[in-house]
Amino acid sequence: MTQNFAQPDTIRADFSAAMSAMYRTEVPAYGDLLEIVQDTNAATLNGPSAAGLNLTPDEDTTRISEERHGAIRLGTADELAMMARVFAVMGMYPVGYYDLSAAAVPVHSTAFRPTTRAALAANPFRVFTSLLRLELITDDTLRAQAAAILAKRQIFTAGAVALTEKAEAQGGLSSEDATKFVAEVLETFRWHADACVDIDTFNQLNSAHRLIADVVSFKGPHINHLTPRTLDIDAAQVGMVERGLPAKAVVEGPPRRDCPILLRQTSFKALEEPVKFPSADGTATVGSHTARFGEIEQRGVALTPKGRDLYDRTLAAVRAEILPAGDGSNAAAYMAALSDAFKVFPDDWRGMYDQGLAHFKFSIDHIPDTTRDLDTVALLDEGVLTLSPIIYEDFLPVSAAGIFQSNLGDDAGQDSHSASSKAEFEKALGTSVADEFALYQQIEDASLSACLDQIRKAGQSA
Ligand code: OOG
Ligand code: NI
C-alpha cells in the first residue's frame, strides 16, 4: 500500500512553499528579501567564486532557491510533543538542543529538519522550535496566570490532529490527504491580530519578558521569520540596506571566507504590528506588538567536534575583547577583529579535511590504474577523489541569542538564568533529539565507502 502514499519529502516541500506564500502576504518585506537573495545567488553562481565553493550540482545548487528556515515558540510540553508528531509526517525530526537561557532568553529549543542526505537534497526546510520555560517567571501569580492561559488554547486545528493520527496509523498519507494536511497545519503558523488576553495581562507578561508575552498572548505560535539562504551574505546585506531594509550592522557567526564554514546570519528588526486586545466588557483595546522580523543566512561546511571547538574558542576570544554594539558603532572594528582571529582556521577545503576540522562528501574524478591500496589521503593527492563540503544544516546558539536579542530590543538584558535542561526538554518532546555531529559523520562515512566500493569493483573487473 505504501506506494500510494505521498512522499514525506514532497509534503515538506509543499508545506515550505505554502508557508512562504503565506508569509509573503503577511510580511511584504519578505518578498524583497527573496528578490535580493535570488539576485545575489544568481550572481555568485555565475561569478568567479562559484568554482571555489565546490557545491555538488543537483544536490546543493538546485535546492538553493527553495531553501528556508522558520522559527516558532511554543508554550507547553503538549504543544511541543504534538508539533514533533506533525513534523514527522513531513520527514522532519528534532536535531540538537539549544539552551538560550544563558542569553537571558527564557526558552530552550531544537531544530526540526530532514536528516538523511537524500531528504536534505530534496528539500532541507527546517524550523527552529523553542519551548517557553515558564519556571523562569519569578512572580508566582503571573506564572500561574500564564500557565492557565496556555492550558486553554489549542494551537492545532481538529483537521491537523486527525490527519496526523491517520498518517501515524496508516504509515503515510494519500496525496489528497497530504494536500489537506498542509493547509490544516499552516493554520498553526498564521499571525493573529487578535490577542487572547486583555491589554493589562499583555503588559504584565511583557514586563516579565517580551518573549513570554509573545508566546502566551496569542492563539498560536505565529511563524516569526522565514529565512532564505544566500550564497553571499555580504552582498545581500548591501542589497538590504539599498532597499531601505534596516539590516543589523554586524553579520552573526564566522567572518567572510573563501571556503565558508557553519552559518552566517543577519536580520532586520521586528515589525510593530497593531493588535486588538479583548476587554472583559466585550470591547477591545488596540495596542501593538513586535513579533516578526526578516533574516537571511549563508551556510558553509559542517564542522567536526574538533572544528567546532576551534570555532567556539576563536569566537569567544574575539567576543571577550570586543562585543558588537547594538547601534553598529563598532561594527567595522568587530569584523576586523573576527577576520584576524580566524586566520587560525585554514581557508581551503583540503586543509580543513587534513586537520579533521570539517565534514566532506567524496566523489570520484577517475578510476586509478591500481586499486591495491586505497588510502584516502593518497587518493585525494592523486586527484582520484575530490572533496565537496557537507553543508551545515543546524543553528548556532550565540547567533540565535543575538537574533532573539536584537529583535527584542537591545536592552533585553544580559543576566543568565538557571542551568541548561536537555533532559527536561526531551521529556516534553516525548523523544530524544538527534546528535548533529553524528548525522554529519554518517553522511561523510557513507559517501567515502560508496566511492571506495566503486573503485574496488572497477579494479576487479579491469
Ligand atoms: C528563533 C531565533 C533563532 C536562528 O536563525 O538562529 C533562529 C526565534 O527568534 O524564535 O531562528
Ligand atoms: Ni533564524
Side-chain angles (χ1 to χ4, degrees):
M1 285 306 282
T2 49
Q3 68 271 23
N4 294 326
F5 290 145
Q7 290 294 321
D9 290 350
T10 309
I11 305 178
R12 180 174 66 260
D14 288 351
F15 184 73
S16 169
M19 182 90 96
S20 185
M22 178 176 85
Y23 203 63
R24 207 171 178 143
T25 63
E26 288 185 348
V27 181
Y30 170 69
D32 293 340
L33 274 189
L34 290 185
E35 282 170 24
I36 292 166
V37 165
Q38 231 155 38
D39 291 350
T40 55
N41 286 353
T44 305
L45 287 173
N46 295 321
S49 60
L53 293 177
N54 267 23
L55 297 177
T56 314
D58 299 334
E59 181 170 0
D60 294 317
T61 43
T62 44
R63 71 179 219 191
I64 286 279
S65 66
E66 301 304 321
E67 194 162 337
R68 312 261 185 277
H69 85 250
I72 53 170
R73 303 152 182 178
L74 301 171
T76 66
D78 286 348
E79 290 175 0
L80 180 65
M82 186 63 205
M83 204 74 225
R85 294 168 59 192
V86 167
F87 280 139
V89 176
M90 309 185 219
M92 294 162 74
Y93 304 98
V95 179
Y97 173 74
Y98 302 86
D99 174 25
L100 292 160
S101 66
V105 181
V107 300
H108 44 183
S109 322
T110 191
F112 285 93
R113 66 168 179 85
T115 54
T116 67
R117 183 171 171 182
L120 286 162
N123 186 296
F125 182 60
R126 17 181 136 63
V127 178
F128 192 90
T129 303
S130 299
L131 176 63
L132 185 62
R133 297 177 69 186
L134 272 185
E135 72 272 19
L136 299 179
I137 302 184
T138 45
D139 178 335
D140 292 345
T141 316
L142 190 63
R143 187 172 60 246
Q145 196 184 357
I149 296 165
L150 287 170
K152 268 191 279 175
R153 74 176 188 181
Q154 168 56 278
I155 64 168
F156 299 97
T157 66
V161 175
L163 286 163
T164 301
E165 286 169 352
K166 189 172 179 180
E168 289 169 348
Q170 302 181 149
L173 290 177
S174 68
S175 298
E176 204 182 313
D177 278 345
T179 303
K180 283 190 222 152
F181 173 83
V182 165
E184 294 286 347
V185 172
L186 195 63
E187 291 307 310
T188 299
F189 294 80
R190 198 179 283 287
W191 170 247
H192 299 280
D194 292 289
C196 58
V197 299
D198 60 41
I199 187 115
D200 291 340
T201 308
F202 178 78
N203 286 337
Q204 268 180 297
L205 292 167
N206 225 356
S207 49
H209 198 292
R210 294 184 57 175
L211 205 96
I212 298 173
D214 181 59
V215 176
V216 176
S217 309
F218 296 90
K219 291 181 192 118
H222 38 260
I223 181 103
N224 63 43
H225 66 290
L226 203 55
T227 301
R229 175 174 158 206
T230 173
L231 292 172
D232 185 344
I233 198 164
D234 302 288
Q237 195 175 25
V238 170
M240 281 167 74
V241 174
E242 277 170 7
R243 292 215 193 187
L245 299 176
K248 279 169 53 114
V250 159
V251 173
E252 303 275 355
R256 183 178 182 86
R257 299 158 49 90
D258 292 335
C259 296
I261 58 173
L262 293 174
L263 176 62
R264 301 182 69 209
Q265 298 181 310
T266 184
S267 64
F268 61 83
K269 292 229 161 98
L271 309 168
E272 182 148 333
E273 299 177 275
V275 175
K276 268 205 238 162
F277 296 93
S279 309
D281 63 5
T283 61
T285 312
V286 177
S288 71
H289 178 56
T290 48
R292 290 157 341 138
F293 57 97
E295 183 186 59
I296 53 174
E297 66 187 8
Q298 178 176 345
R299 289 184 174 268
V301 70
L303 300 185
T304 60
K306 182 182 172 196
R308 179 55 185 269
D309 183 57
L310 180 58
Y311 169 80
D312 285 340
R313 280 189 287 115
T314 308
L315 185 67
V318 173
R319 293 176 75 97
E321 292 298 320
I322 175 171
L323 273 179
D327 63 2
S329 51
N330 63 357
Y334 176 75
M335 295 310 275
L338 200 62
S339 299
D340 196 48
F342 269 87
K343 287 184 181 136
V344 297
F345 215 111
D347 196 6
D348 64 290
W349 301 124
R350 183 63 199 271
M352 282 187 251
Y353 177 77
D354 285 346
Q355 291 187 32
L357 297 172
H359 287 295
F360 293 91
K361 299 176 283 201
F362 293 82
S363 40
I364 300 174
D365 179 83
H366 59 273
I367 299 294
D369 300 333
T370 164
T371 59
R372 243 172 297 131
D373 310 307
L374 295 185
D375 173 65
T376 309
V377 170
L379 293 172
L380 285 168
D381 287 344
E382 289 157 20
V384 168
L385 288 178
T386 57
L387 295 172
S388 89
I390 296 180
I391 298 299
Y392 187 61
E393 305 288 349
D394 295 289
F395 294 86
L396 293 172
V398 175
S399 302
I403 303 270
F404 267 109
Q405 232 139 32
S406 71
N407 288 296
L408 292 169
D410 294 304
D411 57 348
Q414 299 287 336
D415 60 316
S416 66
H417 290 298
S418 63
S420 144
S421 186
K422 184 177 175 195
E424 231 169 88
F425 185 83
E426 290 182 327
K427 202 171 135 218
L429 184 66
T431 171
S432 55
V433 297
D435 171 11
E436 63 270 35
F437 291 108
L439 294 173
Y440 297 121
Q441 188 67 55
Q442 274 164 26
I443 292 175
E444 174 166 324
D445 292 348
S447 155
L448 180 59
S449 51
C451 286
L452 296 181
D453 281 353
Q454 204 182 322
I455 293 172
R456 260 185 226 109
K457 280 197 193 111
Q460 282 155 12
S461 60

